[in-house]
Amino acid sequence: MSSAQPAEPGPPRVVVIGGGIAGLAAAHRLLAGGARVTVLEAGTRLGGKLHAGELAGVPADLGAEALLARRPEAVGLARAVGLADALQPVAAGGAAVWTRGRLRPLPGGQVMGVPGDLDRLAAAEVLSPEGLARVAREAELPPAEPGEDVAIGAFVAERLGAEVTDRLVEPLLGGVYAGDAYRLSMRAAVPQLFAALREERTLLGAARAVQSRGAAAGTSQAPVFMGIEGGIGRLPAAVAEAVRQAGGEIVLGTEVASLERRKGFPGPAPARWRVLAGGRAYDADAVVLAVPAAAAARLVRGVAPRAAAEFDGVRYASMALITLALPRREAEAQLPAGTGFLVPPVDGRTIKASTFSSAKWGWAGDDDIFLLRTSVGRIDDDKTLERDDADLVTASLDDLRAATGLDARPVASRVSRWRGALPQYEVGHDARVARIRGALPAGLAVCGALYDGVGIPACIASAHRAADELLGRPGTMTA
């Protein structure tokens, strides 16, 4: 007579809510760690702000279009899912700033617009003579002390003058966050600069130190950005295919109605989860939330009210991309050299940037088509996005003509609106993220643009952090 042996625990079950690049990267990492994974996506398309499309018969990115190559996560994931041969560096260099009446080269030796080299700043002529003189007087000020956190725009204006904030920091951060530099956190948005100020007495010295460290590490010679032949929008599809090949389940068109914490299960796990979505219940040992703040707040309000309150305080900016297919011969004859230009808000234009996609990426366009895109929209500027498509195309063409002399007419155009797309890293953001993570119960993790950076590599890094946390926390993932 023998006694029954207890059943061996099976692989942990994880539900990932959200099918953007962060959710897909989390699923990919969890499957590699031995978990069983279901991804639930409310929409009918995977990838979130990574969106591959086409215009005038050629591939085009309709969302994000570059990977920061000096971080390893995005390039590494692309290689892991079979896109190694499709990775491409920027084909042409040189960006400009359209300010004070003309295009001027973006100064070298700067960190998110904060200058470290006065000679290169002067040569670019982005600032007026008075503005340049104001920068040079920083050494006369008391030591720079950002405290626990500070608004980068206000701090730069205080140290170097408002022209540096308005004509350099604002357009660069506006391109990343569509935000207001006078409210964005230096600690969260430009952490390397914030850290350098712990050792340097001036802001100029901190920018130089960041540049020097990059040179010492060899990153200054490496490509800053990489693209993918056919568009960055190919990455989510490749990751999703890898997830399916590894046994993961992906369910589209299924909005999660509720997230419940279930107690009373046998075994050492302190809690398990039930996810209700599309009329079906998904039981799980752990859950990853890879959704924006409003959706996260709704789902966790009953299980983590303090985290929900923090989510409620996050602001988001909306923006739109206007992609134009131009006759290639005309565009190349009329556009200046380089990859595009930024536009400071202080100059009062409609567009905030333009990218000459067919100059930037070797794969973009064909013998007849030159792809170019502009972006519009900043925080608290919903009126711009309310303009109809034709009006935004016309406004973009007007600004392009004024900036570059371009008078080629597009053979096709497309406006892609991204509402509530970019979380604002305002002062205290890092502390808010820490409070969110600290308020979540065991077995619930978060990832995405809200947490550790809005760029693709940062989103993937946050996904890996969430997956590793769940795979490694004792008791959390026990079946």
Side-chain angles (χ1 to χ4, degrees), residues 12-266:
R13 299 161 298 173
V14 186
V15 170
V16 177
I17 303 175
I21 191 59
L24 292 170
H28 186 263
R29 184 82 156 202
L30 287 161
L31 286 160
R36 292 176 290 170
V37 178
T38 297
V39 179
L40 302 177
E41 164 57 40
T44 57
R45 180 184 64 81
L46 293 169
K49 293 182 285 294
L50 281 64
H51 187 192
E54 88 170 26
L55 189 66
V58 297
D61 270 318
L62 304 177
E65 51 95 41
L67 307 172
L68 182 64
R70 291 179 180 174
R71 288 192 60 158
E73 298 89 354
V75 170
L77 181 60
R79 288 176 174 146
V81 297
L83 294 175
D85 292 342
L87 287 165
Q88 293 188 2
V90 173
V97 182
W98 182 28
T99 190
R100 298 175 52 232
R102 66 178 177 86
L103 290 174
R104 303 169 189 274
L106 185 66
Q110 46 82 20
V111 178
M112 269 300 169
V114 178
D117 187 321
L118 288 180
D119 290 337
R120 295 168 83 178
L121 179 64
E125 298 184 342
V126 171
L127 305 186
S128 68
E130 295 78 14
L132 193 62
R134 174 67 180 82
V135 174
R137 294 199 298 272
E138 194 207 2
E140 302 169 8
L141 300 177
E145 296 180 356
E148 289 301 311
D149 198 2
V150 67
I152 183 169
F155 191 79
V156 170
E158 179 184 338
R159 300 291 306 182
L160 306 178
E163 277 198 51
V164 176
T165 293
D166 294 343
R167 302 195 186 278
L168 285 171
V169 177
E170 275 276 21
L172 279 159
L173 284 178
V176 176
Y177 297 95
D180 177 357
Y182 287 91
R183 299 185 64 166
L184 291 173
S185 157
M186 180 189 290
R187 179 172 185 156
V190 198
Q192 304 95 328
L193 191 67
F194 184 82
L197 279 169
R198 298 301 188 194
E199 302 173 1
E200 302 290 334
R201 73 173 303 277
T202 66
L203 194 52
L204 290 171
R208 284 194 294 270
V210 172
Q211 291 282 331
S212 296
R213 288 167 191 164
T219 58
S220 61
Q221 304 304 315
V224 177
F225 295 106
M226 296 285 280
I228 293 175
E229 185 175 359
I232 292 295
R234 292 180 59 196
L235 181 60
V239 179
E241 179 59 24
V243 166
R244 293 185 179 104
Q245 289 291 327
E249 179 186 20
I250 298 176
V251 185
L252 295 175
T254 304
E255 183 173 4
V256 174
S258 67
L259 173 64
E260 301 172 1
R261 194 177 183 188
R262 304 187 70 211
K263 298 182 179 180
F265 280 82

